Every structure is written in C-alpha cells, then in structure tokens.
Amino acid sequence: MGFLDLPKPLGVFHVAFADFELRTYASDSDVKVGAAASRRGAVSEVRDDDDVERKECDEEDEETGARRVEIACRTPMVRLFYPTETKPKWSFSHAQTRRWLPELRYTYGFFSKGILPTSRLRRCFLWVIACVLHSWVWLQINASVGEPLIQREGDKERLPVVIFSHGMWACRTTYTLACCDMASHGYIVVVPEHLDGSAVAAQYTDTTGKKRWIQHAFADKPFDHTPMEHRTNQLRQRVREIQKVVDVIEMLDQGTLTQTSNAVVGQGSLNVTMLQGRLDMSYLAIRGHSFGGSTAIVVCGLDKRLKCCVAEDTWWQPIEQVHYERLAGKVPILFLNNEQFEWEELRRLRNVFLKARAEAESDGQPLVTQLITVKGTRHMDQCDFPVLYPRTFRAAKLSGEVNTRIVKDVNSRACLEFLHRNLLPPGTHFPHAVHVVKEDSEYLIVGDEKLHKKCELPHMNINISAIGSE
C-alpha cells in the first residue's frame, strides 16, 4: 500500500473535516423541543419563482406512531472543512476515513470517464482496475477527522461560511485542497455532493437507513451527446440542493437538530452541537467550479442569503435566460478562469452576462465584477487531480504548463483575497487576510481585451488592483 498525504493548507490554522446528511425522514426526536416550528419554516420555504415544491407531511408511521416530516427535495450529504487547533497526524484507525477517495465507487466512477462503461466486458474491466488501484493507493487528506472547531482566546466567535459546488464528474472530495486552504484561513467550508447525476458518484441514505448510490447519469455516452435540456434540468436540481444546504446550515447554527438527525455514523460523523452559534450567516458565500460555477451564479440570483460568489471556469450553456437577467443577485462576483478553457459560444454567453452586469447598479454603485485568468492553465487545474498526479495529467494534456502546486496556490490566494475584500466587513484582518505573493501577478491576466472590445464595457468594475498590493 502507498500512504501519501495531500499538500498542507496555505493558512495559519490546522483543518478538520466531518460529514453530515439530514435524514430523509426526520422524526420529532431529531428536532429539539421548541425548535420544530422554525425548522419546518426553513425547510418548506419556497423562494422566488423557482417553483420548488417542499412538502411537510404530518403522517403517522404505522410501526412507531411517530410523526414524520418528509422533505420533497432530498438534501445531499455535505462535507464540512473547518479550522481546528489539532494538528493532523497519521493514525491507522483514521486511515480509511481520511482517504481522499473514501469509497471504491468513486474510483470506478473516475475511471469510467476515460473508459465508457458501454458493455458488460468494459464494466468488468473497469471494476478490476478500480479495485486494484483503490486498494493500493491511500491518499490521505491533510486534515483531522471530527476534531473540535477552533476557539480563539476563549471566545466562541462566529465564522464566515463558504459553500463549494463541485463540477461535472466530481464529488465532495475532488476540491479538498481548495477547501482546506479556505478553512485554514478561518472559513467554514460546506461541500455538498450533488444528487443530480452530475457527480462521478454520490451516496445518500434512504428512508430505511441503507446507503444508496447514484452513478453519473450519462456515463455510457460521450459528453457532447447529452442534450442541453438535460443539463439545464440538472442545474435546476443543483440550485434546489444548495438552497436546502443553506437551510441545514441555518438549523445547525440555531441548534435545532439533534445528533440523530445526522444519517452519517462512525468516525466521520459531524457532531451537530459543535456548530451551534458558530456560523456567521451574515457572511455566507458560494464558490463553484465549471458546472458548480453555473450553480453558484444561478442560486445567487434566487437566494438573498448568499452575499458573494466565486465562479471558476463557469459552464454557461446550461444557464437559462431568466438567470442572466437576475445578474447573480447583484452580489460581488469573481470569475476565476483558466486560459485554455475557452471557446466561441462560451465567450459569447459570458460576455452577455458581463455586459448586463456592467450596465446595472446596486444602491447607485456599479456592481463588483472581477475577471481573472490564470495563464498557461487548463480546466482541470482547479481541482485536486493535477496536484496529485502532475506528470500523468500533463502528459494527457489535462493540465497546463505551469507547476500545478503554484496554480493551486495562485487560485486559492485570488479567491481568498476576493472574499476578504468583498464578503467580510471592512477592517477584518487575522485570520482571514491573505498573505499576497507579488509573484502571483506573473500568472494572472486581469480582465479580457477581447471581452472589452466586443462588449464595450468601459464602466465595468474590474477591481483587480488589490492583488499584490499588500
């Protein structure tokens, strides 16, 4: 076996992680006395015209007689990364929980992206490869399992929250490095594993408590053969799931859930009492990559609880016209792009959105819209894979020419700098302030000359001067 640790986070704090999944059927015993009404209000709220049906069923269970609350839109499992005082150390008892790919089905799913499982023979071959590699390579997350949330100077201060929406063919662990970088700077990062069929694989717990799996919805087809209307439907579900996740985060902060509400058991299970009164919902942001970038932009236009957005290599085609008009809720937004993720239709749709943002105002002020491109990079460079397997991904032309660890750090610092200046209140310093490296400017393209010429955006607030100014 090969036990390998992922790179250390950039920030000053150590990082821990834990998983949470709200039970599909939550009994009244899962909700603290006096809090059931507020929980139901959060769960059943319908936002704007998204036409999301969220039911409450006051049914009596025939066996136990307990009242059940049915949530029509299933809440995905989430992984939370958060700062802790405990330094991660290797332990055989935690080796399985700390694995970057904790289940064999994820390994199978990733290989099925390269070898389409179109026949029984191919599927058997994929399972053999997945079993061999999954049992041999044990990549360990550089974070502790379930350790207490950090407390500084005896105070239980509230910490800002960032939701991370993963991209196509990914899962809740695919962006661990970026999430740990944010958590090490004092953010609580919440990563849902989307159940729309876009994940490489996604697990959930059914009403009987049994673990179930959703494999990638179109794994047996080439990517371009899936109709865009299917992708748009997936995007709608992703947005609903993000809103459900925000509901859960609010309930965790309010302390309205008991430990039995968490369907995840074992070492990686989140202690729900740890987050009570510690989440600062006034400073809630969302970050996403590719399909996750699309998700972040759309949900910001529908849910006013989200105050800031970071969209990396946004996939624009699945976004419906009405969401272009919502302008991501006019919240500050950073477009953090890779240089070689670019084609004519994507550029056209992005320009339409940016032009509309440039012409809009919020409280009489231009909208904060930043556009940064990282030189010499490809689409995969914003996830963990190129850092873990740099030679393989460069040889396959799935990552760019720049050192993958440098790219990871440049991306993280640009994101953290934006959140520090646009999400948090003025004067906020340690631990959220980023130690900016001036050399990062060598890898960054500020704005887009082609974009400016095509769309004529003289009033666009591209405020990138902050990078490298400290």
Side-chain angles (χ1 to χ4, degrees):
M1 293 184 184
F3 291 91
L4 301 172
D5 281 339
L6 273 65
K8 294 181 179 179
L10 286 176
V12 296
F13 294 139
H14 300 303
V15 177
F17 70 92
D19 292 333
F20 179 89
E21 181 187 359
L22 186 66
R23 291 185 184 276
T24 304
Y25 285 83
S27 67
D28 282 348
S29 63
D30 297 337
V31 184
K32 292 184 179 179
V33 176
S38 63
R39 176 181 179 275
R40 294 190 187 105
V43 170
S44 60
E45 180 182 358
V46 179
R47 294 173 182 76
D48 294 342
D49 56 351
D50 195 35
D51 197 24
V52 180
E53 182 183 7
R54 301 179 182 210
K55 303 176 183 176
E56 281 195 333
C57 301
D58 293 332
E59 299 177 349
E60 294 293 324
D61 184 271
E62 294 181 359
E63 296 182 0
T64 65
R67 283 174 58 189
R68 301 286 183 177
V69 179
E70 180 181 6
I71 304 172
C73 177
R74 184 186 298 275
T75 304
M77 177 188 292
V78 297
R79 170 156 292 185
L80 293 95
F81 296 90
Y82 54 90
T84 184
E85 296 177 354
T86 306
K87 182 178 180 180
K89 56 183 179 181
W90 191 89
S91 168
F92 185 81
S93 61
H94 286 171
Q96 174 62 34
T97 309
R98 285 185 61 205
R99 291 189 73 168
W100 182 66
L101 290 180
E103 301 280 354
L104 173 61
R105 285 184 180 269
Y106 296 117
T107 307
Y108 172 87
F110 281 120
F111 275 105
S112 67
K113 182 181 180 181
I115 305 174
L116 299 183
T118 54
S119 66
R120 180 177 296 179
L121 180 62
R122 279 176 171 246
R123 287 191 290 272
C124 290
F125 180 64
L126 282 169
W127 277 116
V128 170
I129 296 177
C131 287
V132 171
L133 290 180
H134 188 79
S135 62
W136 180 255
V137 180
W138 287 53
L139 290 168
Q140 299 284 285
I141 295 174
N142 209 314
S144 304
V145 180
E147 293 293 336
L149 182 62
I150 196 167
Q151 296 183 23
R152 294 196 297 124
E153 300 177 358
D155 295 329
K156 291 186 177 181
E157 63 178 335
R158 292 180 178 270
L159 300 177
V161 182
V162 179
I163 298 172
F164 195 108
S165 177
H166 66 71
M168 189 77 67
W169 286 98
C171 63
R172 70 185 190 281
T173 68
T174 310
Y175 301 87
T176 291
L177 296 176
C179 293
C180 285
D181 282 345
M182 290 188 287
S184 69
H185 280 84
Y187 294 88
I188 295 177
V189 185
V190 183
V191 190
E193 192 161 86
H194 287 293
L195 302 173
D196 62 317
S198 65
V200 66
Q203 60 176 297
Y204 68 93
T205 306
D206 66 14
T207 57
T208 66
K210 186 176 180 180
K211 183 189 293 185
R212 300 287 185 180
W213 287 90
I214 298 175
Q215 295 298 132
H216 190 80
F218 307 103
D220 57 347
K221 299 179 181 179
F223 182 81
D224 293 337
H225 290 193
T226 302
M228 193 54 63
E229 62 185 84
H230 294 340
R231 299 305 190 192
T232 299
N233 289 334
Q234 287 180 306
L235 180 55
R236 291 171 183 167
Q237 180 175 338
R238 281 169 151 260
V239 169
R240 291 195 296 268
E241 290 175 356
I242 294 295
Q243 292 180 298
K244 288 292 300 174
V245 168
V246 177
D247 292 339
V248 168
I249 296 171
E250 289 182 333
M251 289 187 283
L252 289 171
D253 179 61
Q254 295 164 4
T256 59
L257 296 177
T258 64
Q259 193 61 40
T260 56
S261 67
N262 189 359
V264 180
V265 297
Q267 294 175 339
S269 177
L270 175 72
N271 178 0
V272 299
T273 62
M274 178 176 65
L275 297 179
Q276 184 174 351
R278 300 299 309 276
L279 303 171
D280 198 333
M281 300 303 291
S282 299
Y283 303 105
L284 173 65
I286 184 167
R287 178 180 177 183
H289 175 242
S290 192
F291 209 7
S294 315
T295 307
I297 289 171
V298 172
V299 76
C300 281
L302 293 171
D303 200 319
K304 295 182 180 180
R305 293 175 294 181
L306 294 158
K307 310 299 183 185
C308 195
C309 178
V310 177
E312 302 177 76
D313 267 3
T314 302
W315 187 27
W316 290 95
Q317 278 87 337
I319 301 178
E320 298 172 275
Q321 179 61 37
V322 64
H323 299 302
Y324 284 83
E325 298 168 0
R326 287 192 172 110
L327 301 175
K330 297 186 177 181
V331 302
I333 183 168
L334 167 64
F335 292 103
L336 189 55
N337 300 328
N338 289 307
E339 187 174 25
Q340 297 182 41
F341 186 72
E342 189 84 4
W343 61 91
E344 184 176 351
E345 180 64 8
L346 181 140
R347 186 186 301 112
R348 184 188 70 81
L349 293 172
R350 182 181 66 202
N351 291 353
V352 169
F353 183 83
L354 291 176
K355 183 176 182 181
R357 291 262 310 181
E359 295 173 348
E361 293 183 346
S362 178
D363 297 328
Q365 298 295 321
L367 305 184
V368 177
T369 307
Q370 298 187 3
L371 180 63
I372 300 178
T373 303
V374 184
K375 297 178 183 177
T377 53
R378 294 180 181 270
H379 190 54
M380 294 287 287
D381 280 321
Q382 287 172 325
C383 71
D384 293 352
F385 275 106
V387 178
L388 304 179
Y389 306 103
R391 293 182 180 179
T392 301
F393 273 73
R394 187 170 291 114
K397 296 185 178 180
L398 295 174
S399 65
E401 302 169 355
V402 184
N403 182 288
T404 53
R405 294 204 179 197
I406 292 177
V407 173
K408 190 273 292 184
D409 292 347
V410 169
N411 269 281
S412 287
R413 281 191 287 264
C415 172
L416 287 162
E417 176 73 12
F418 182 83
L419 292 174
H420 179 226
R421 292 185 179 272
N422 295 282
L423 174 66
L424 304 180
T428 302
H429 297 294
F430 182 87
H432 309 295
V434 183
H435 296 291
V436 176
V437 178
K438 292 184 178 180
E439 287 75 13
D440 284 0
S441 61
E442 298 177 10
Y443 303 100
L444 301 178
I445 301 173
V446 178
D448 186 339
E449 292 182 2
K450 294 180 181 178
L451 180 151
H452 283 273
K453 290 178 181 178
K454 279 193 173 186
C455 295
E456 298 179 357
L457 302 177
H459 305 296
M460 190 173 186
N461 183 16
I462 307 291
N463 180 22
I464 311 296
S465 59
I467 300 294
S469 63
E470 295 181 353

